[in-house]
Amino acid sequence: MGLVEFRSFEGSLHPCSNAILSANKYIRKMKGGSQSILVRVNDGRHYVVKLTDNPIGPNLLANEHMGSLVAKAVGLPVAEASGIMISDSFIDGHPDLWFELPTGVRRPNKGMHFGSLFVGQTSGADRPTEYISPSRVGAITNREAFLGMYLLDVWANHQDNRQAIFRRNSTNELEVCFIDHGHMFGGPEWNFQGDQGNPGSALHLELAVYTDLWHDEQVAFWISRFQTIIPDVLTSIAAPMASEWYSGDLNELLSELTDRLLHLPELVHADIEKTWHPSQQKSPDESLRLSDFGIHDLRTPDTRSAFRRGRATA
Ligand SMILES: Nc1ncnc2c1ncn2[C@@H]1O[C@H](COP(=O)(O)OP(=O)(O)O)[C@@H](O)[C@H]1O
Ligand SMILES: [Mg+2]
């Protein structure tokens, strides 16, 4: 096949030797509830692929797709998103990739699935890590992105911890790249009702990454950027989305998200208040997973006292 151009999710044209990206080598299953798989694709690159009928929920792929593209559009570092074709023969040839459920093994469906371009090397010493120690936080060159991602996650009513990959460069500095947007947008069920999940749950587990990031003018900058950019982006990415990637009411979701954008300053304020209110403290076990550094230094003038804790307890 000759060199053709195809239209990616972002609407721009990219040269590619194949119009459709399809998996041609199965590497392994990844950890995590969605039972995603690492594959090599016919563009020669590796992707973590989430399958349409995964055990987590019906809107997971739509969330990954929208989360990746919205975050990218506002300038946050996220893994590149693509649709990846998985064929019947690929699925039949690799029973290891089938879903393992309490009720037994289930065969995934063929079709177009969601791929997240693997950040860094898939093996060897340069393999990226999800773990960051408090002592290495200062080495993250683009650490300010954690503030923007937190604010975006509040807008999107993210229901899970914020996950990130850290890649080391030649001078031993780290670069963060955000992954796993499956629980944005009210979670895989698109639930915006009631108490709306867990305030502060969208923070990264290592709170030290937020140290000294909070500046009111930066917060205002991000919110204004979101309000300017997101409305058009949302419409353009949601309209052509594959129907297999969601089962919820997309129009209802978009209208909820548009409303949340208008009220984002209040939502952020409410999230901070609830997150750091003493009644939200979690069990000692959960607290122990967190560092002694961090969010108490992520300060804002009118809620400063709430952050003044000797120990982070999100
Ligand atoms: N783009 C990526 N680059 C490198 N590793 C990734 C990428 N996306 C996911 N992973 C790895 O795969 C694991 C599972 O992905 P994740 O998106 O967290 O799935 P789940 O929805 O099942 O939690 C992650 O913990 C991470 O180690
Ligand atoms: Mg995950």
Side-chain angles (χ1 to χ4, degrees):
M1 183 188 273
L3 199 70
V4 297
E5 285 189 319
F6 75 104
R7 194 166 288 278
S8 76
F9 288 144
E10 291 118 54
S12 53
L13 288 171
H14 295 276
C16 183
S17 57
N18 293 280
I20 292 179
L21 294 177
S22 63
N24 60 17
K25 184 173 182 203
Y26 174 68
I27 314 285
R28 62 174 177 269
K29 204 173 242 189
M30 305 302 280
K31 65 178 175 166
S34 70
Q35 302 193 24
S36 56
I37 54 173
L38 178 62
V39 295
R40 197 186 63 204
V41 165
N42 58 346
D43 66 353
R45 305 193 290 179
H46 290 89
Y47 292 78
V48 174
V49 174
K50 292 196 181 174
L51 301 159
T52 47
D53 38 358
N54 71 83
I56 292 295
N59 304 313
L60 194 79
L61 271 67
N63 288 356
E64 284 282 4
H65 174 67
M66 293 190 297
S68 303
L69 298 193
V70 169
K72 182 176 178 184
V74 298
L76 291 166
V78 279
E80 196 179 313
S82 294
I84 307 289
M85 177 61 78
I86 310 271
S87 66
D88 270 333
S89 59
F90 191 86
I91 294 168
D92 290 336
H94 301 289
D96 282 3
L97 68 77
W98 294 22
F99 299 120
E100 291 161 67
L101 308 170
T103 50
V105 172
R106 179 159 58 80
R107 183 189 184 280
N109 293 325
K110 73 159 184 184
M112 192 60 85
H113 303 268
F114 175 87
S116 173
L117 182 64
F118 197 88
V119 178
Q121 303 297 316
T122 55
S123 59
D126 284 339
R127 235 172 118 168
T129 171
E130 284 187 82
Y131 173 73
I132 178 85
S133 68
S135 64
R136 287 286 283 153
V137 156
I140 308 171
T141 54
N142 55 347
R143 189 167 64 87
E144 69 288 345
F146 274 98
L147 176 63
M149 199 67 226
Y150 163 71
L151 298 168
L152 192 76
D153 279 333
V154 170
W155 162 68
N157 193 18
H158 191 172
Q159 298 293 303
D160 202 0
N161 291 116
R162 167 45 58 195
Q163 267 179 255
I165 297 275
F166 300 94
R167 192 170 28 180
R168 205 176 50 219
N169 67 17
S170 53
T171 55
N172 206 25
E173 290 170 324
L174 298 170
E175 194 188 330
V176 66
C177 184
F178 298 109
I179 57 158
D180 195 357
H181 318 298
H183 288 74
M184 289 175 82
F185 311 113
E189 307 290 336
W190 288 352
N191 184 9
F192 286 84
Q193 305 307 314
D195 193 24
Q196 300 195 358
N198 313 307
S201 61
L203 290 163
H204 192 274
L205 279 176
E206 180 44 76
L207 296 177
V209 299
Y210 299 100
T211 303
D212 280 337
L213 283 189
W214 191 282
H215 298 285
D216 287 349
E217 59 282 11
Q218 274 305 308
V219 175
F221 162 81
W222 280 114
I223 291 178
S224 152
R225 192 169 169 77
F226 296 170
Q227 290 175 333
T228 310
I229 293 174
I230 290 178
D232 284 349
V233 172
L234 256 192
T235 316
S236 66
I237 61 182
M241 195 155 57
S243 59
E244 296 80 23
W245 287 16
Y246 64 96
S247 70
D249 186 332
L250 192 55
N251 286 332
E252 201 180 302
L253 175 71
L254 295 183
S255 118
E256 181 70 45
L257 292 173
T258 305
D259 191 56
R260 286 178 75 86
L261 205 48
L262 292 173
H263 297 105
L264 191 49
E266 298 96 277
L267 291 171
V268 169
H269 187 79
D271 190 85
I272 285 177
E273 291 275 292
K274 283 202 231 157
T275 304
W276 306 108
H277 190 275
S279 68
Q280 296 296 327
Q281 286 187 26
K282 298 192 175 158
S283 70
D285 276 351
E286 283 175 282
S287 304
L288 284 174
R289 292 182 5 234
L290 300 170
S291 78
D292 285 345
F293 294 77
I295 201 81
H296 54 282
D297 288 326
L298 188 157
R299 42 184 175 260
T300 178
D302 56 347
T303 50
R304 188 165 298 186
S305 58
F307 292 112
R308 293 277 174 203
R309 297 237 180 108
R311 189 171 181 82
T313 51

